[in-house]
Amino acid sequence: MAFEPDYPIETQRLRLRPFTRGDVDAVYAYRRREDVARFLFDLPMSRESCAEAVQARVGQTGFANEGDRIVLAVEQRKDLAMIGEVSLILRSAEARQAELGYILHPDYQGLGYATEAARAMLGVGFDDAWMHRIYARCDVRNAASARVMERLGMRREAHFRDHMLVKGEWQEELIYALLEGEWRAQAPSRRNR
């Protein structure tokens, strides 16, 4: 399955675009923070590890094989300030399933940007890449992320208890998902990017 969306992807307030090498400082501004790393698998990143991560993201713009990722910088349209990132990972080409992810700088959380960016990626997945099911997951303590998934119309499918050891602690994880038919059943105004 070869697929790459047209860039940039624009929503009412946001612009989603491929990463460039010039994004290192913007990514470091949020990935170095403990409050951002708290619910991620990664520890807070050094500037050097951010540079390596950005370099990897530069080429993650489409799907060719399972495991491929589309990882995009999230910018505000009004000033092109980079405020985070959003991703879609092809988990199964045969079953047409992908995983959605998002990370925002804390200064921009609580303003609906994560929902807006994630909704645009659902559109890419369902409308452009013809996915059948897209799921997302979060640490059970990350109530804000769970609320984003619920606002997207995703339904909670699972609550895994003590299923993975992360940073020396057993993690509990919530899984939310949306099927293509459920996406299409949402009002067009709700689906619009």
Side-chain angles (χ1 to χ4, degrees):
M1 152 178 220
F3 168 75
E4 185 166 320
D6 293 327
Y7 296 115
I9 297 164
E10 295 193 342
T11 67
Q12 181 180 356
R13 300 178 297 164
L14 302 174
R15 183 174 179 258
L16 312 180
R17 58 150 177 91
F19 275 88
T20 68
R21 290 181 184 186
D23 293 326
V24 173
D25 288 333
V27 173
Y28 182 57
Y30 60 90
R31 292 302 301 266
R32 70 181 178 196
R33 297 175 58 132
E34 179 62 43
D35 55 345
V36 171
R38 180 176 180 210
F39 299 125
L40 300 176
F41 295 122
D42 304 320
L43 294 169
M45 291 182 148
S46 67
R47 190 173 188 294
E48 182 179 315
S49 60
C50 274
E52 292 169 4
V54 167
Q55 181 59 36
R57 285 168 171 72
V58 167
Q60 295 175 328
T61 59
F63 299 146
N65 301 297
E66 286 185 12
D68 285 353
R69 304 163 183 258
I70 297 172
V71 186
L72 303 176
V74 177
E75 295 178 329
Q76 291 185 96
R77 284 180 64 178
K78 67 180 181 182
D79 59 7
L80 300 183
M82 189 181 148
I83 63 171
E85 58 195 77
V86 65
S87 63
L88 199 61
I89 305 168
L90 181 60
R91 293 297 186 193
S92 172
E94 181 181 0
R96 297 180 8 243
Q97 296 198 29
E99 180 180 351
L100 173 70
Y102 42 86
I103 304 170
L104 284 187
H105 190 295
D107 291 350
Y108 299 94
Q109 292 175 3
L111 302 171
Y113 290 131
T115 303
E116 191 171 332
R119 184 171 284 123
M121 289 302 275
L122 288 174
V124 167
F126 288 123
D127 297 335
D128 303 334
W130 298 100
M131 290 293 119
H132 172 70
R133 178 177 174 270
I134 297 176
Y135 70 92
R137 54 195 173 129
C138 71
D139 186 299
V140 73
R141 299 168 297 175
N142 193 345
S145 186
R147 283 193 302 272
V148 167
M149 292 180 258
E150 290 165 0
R151 280 193 296 273
L152 292 168
M154 301 178 97
R155 97 197 94 59
R156 190 166 113 181
E157 291 187 333
H159 179 164
F160 294 117
R161 300 178 189 279
D162 292 357
H163 79 111
M164 187 181 301
L165 196 59
V166 178
K167 301 175 195 168
E169 295 181 336
W170 285 106
Q171 182 192 44
E172 289 190 45
E173 185 173 76
L174 300 175
I175 305 288
Y176 283 77
L178 190 65
L179 297 174
E180 179 183 15
E182 294 168 329
W183 170 256
R184 303 222 182 284
Q186 291 181 4
S189 60
R190 184 178 167 130
R191 289 193 322 257
N192 284 344
R193 298 179 219 172

